[in-house]
Amino acid sequence: MSEWLVLALAMAAACAVVVSVTLLRHRTAAEDDDPSETPDVIEYMTMWIGVVYAIVLGLAIAGVWEARSAAQDHVQAEAQALHEISERVRVYPPDVRDRVRDDIDAYVGHVVTAEWKAMTDHGKVTPRGAQLLQRIRQDVTDYQPKTDFQAQSYQPLLDQVAAVDTARAARADSTGATMPTVVWFGLIGGAVITIGMVFPLQIRRTPRELVLAGLFSALIAFLLFLIWDFDTPYSRGIAASAEPFLTLFPHVHG
């Protein structure tokens, strides 16, 4: 059985139970039962719908913000590892050192220009970036240390190359949207229900209530926009930036 069918049946069953119990209680109520002694069900349900939806909105905002922060951390880790390679390779002969640094500059230049645009427009990294990183790996791994000092630096350089590869893979994995479609269905459906509950309460009786209703609707729209904007960490307005690369490699122009 499909999980969506299970969900639909569970929701239908919950509604059926509530309606059945309510109708049964109404038929079996005593003649002197006074419903006015209990709180109005509309106000009660409106309150709890708002509470539940506020929790859902808060969790969604926290989730996309955490994903955006993690994406920026991946960029920082990748740039820092490349910078460490560029600095530690100074113990190697000048020709090897210059070749490694030139290949790092080529990789950084490609990331902050072509690859960053591909991440923004298409949500993926480029094969060219992988080729440039492989060239850096070959530069480091193919060199045979000639002195003890170079030998001591060899393994830390390999570790930094592995750190770059790991950070790049994490960056590639976080280029897409973080919120599943079903969550968006719940967020938008919840917004419609929450705002729709304003109308059974007979809002619009006074200008003050009209203003509050408008501000409430605008707040929900703003929060949904905020979630949408954070949803793809590298693509939209408040996105992770390539600033760590440009800070550590100022001579490379984006």
Side-chain angles (χ1 to χ4, degrees):
M1 182 180 295
S2 171
E3 60 182 8
W4 297 109
L5 180 58
V6 173
L7 174 62
L9 291 176
M11 294 173 64
C15 293
V17 168
V18 171
V19 173
S20 299
V21 171
T22 302
L23 292 176
L24 179 63
R25 183 178 179 279
H26 178 69
R27 290 182 179 180
T28 58
E31 294 182 358
D32 58 348
D33 184 31
D34 186 6
S36 63
E37 295 180 357
T38 59
D40 183 57
V41 68
I42 295 293
E43 295 181 1
Y44 176 81
M45 292 304 299
T46 300
M47 177 188 70
W48 277 108
I49 287 173
V51 170
V52 172
Y53 188 65
I55 294 174
V56 172
L57 275 179
L59 292 175
I61 292 174
V64 293
W65 175 256
E66 183 179 357
R68 189 265 181 197
S69 299
Q72 188 66 60
D73 290 342
H74 300 327
V75 176
Q76 180 66 46
E78 185 178 0
Q80 185 63 47
L82 288 168
H83 181 69
E84 287 296 322
I85 297 173
S86 181
E87 291 299 320
R88 295 186 183 191
V89 80
R90 70 181 186 274
V91 302
Y92 283 7
D95 59 329
V96 178
R97 177 192 62 206
D98 293 342
R99 182 170 67 252
V100 172
R101 289 179 174 176
D102 288 344
D103 288 342
I104 289 176
D105 290 345
Y107 175 79
V108 172
H110 176 77
V111 167
V112 300
T113 55
E115 187 159 88
W116 209 267
K117 188 176 187 305
M119 292 165 55
T120 301
D121 297 341
H122 307 293
K124 60 181 181 181
V125 296
T126 62
R128 177 61 178 166
Q131 294 172 1
L132 292 173
L133 178 58
Q134 181 62 25
R135 185 184 299 174
I136 297 173
R137 189 196 308 276
Q138 292 174 353
D139 291 340
V140 174
T141 58
D142 291 353
Y143 178 73
Q144 295 182 357
K146 303 296 191 300
T147 65
D148 291 340
F149 190 29
Q150 293 177 3
Q152 293 173 2
S153 301
Y154 183 74
Q155 186 58 50
L157 282 170
L158 293 181
D159 293 340
Q160 293 301 322
V161 171
V164 174
D165 194 21
T166 300
R168 175 182 171 80
R171 174 164 60 85
D173 290 339
S174 59
T175 54
T178 57
M179 298 290 289
T181 303
V182 64
V183 176
W184 275 113
F185 176 79
L187 289 173
I188 296 175
V192 172
I193 294 173
T194 303
I195 296 175
M197 292 301 294
V198 169
F199 300 102
L201 293 177
Q202 297 181 358
I203 206 73
R204 299 176 301 177
R205 288 175 294 183
T206 66
R208 180 175 57 184
E209 291 177 343
L210 182 60
V211 170
L212 289 176
L215 291 176
F216 176 69
S217 303
L219 175 62
I220 291 181
F222 169 74
L223 294 176
L224 289 176
F225 171 81
L226 202 62
I227 296 171
W228 174 83
D229 196 63
F230 285 156
D231 191 28
T232 50
Y234 297 106
S235 298
R236 294 178 183 141
I238 310 177
S241 70
E243 190 62 30
F245 287 107
L246 300 176
T247 300
L248 295 174
F249 300 91
H251 53 282
V252 177
H253 300 288

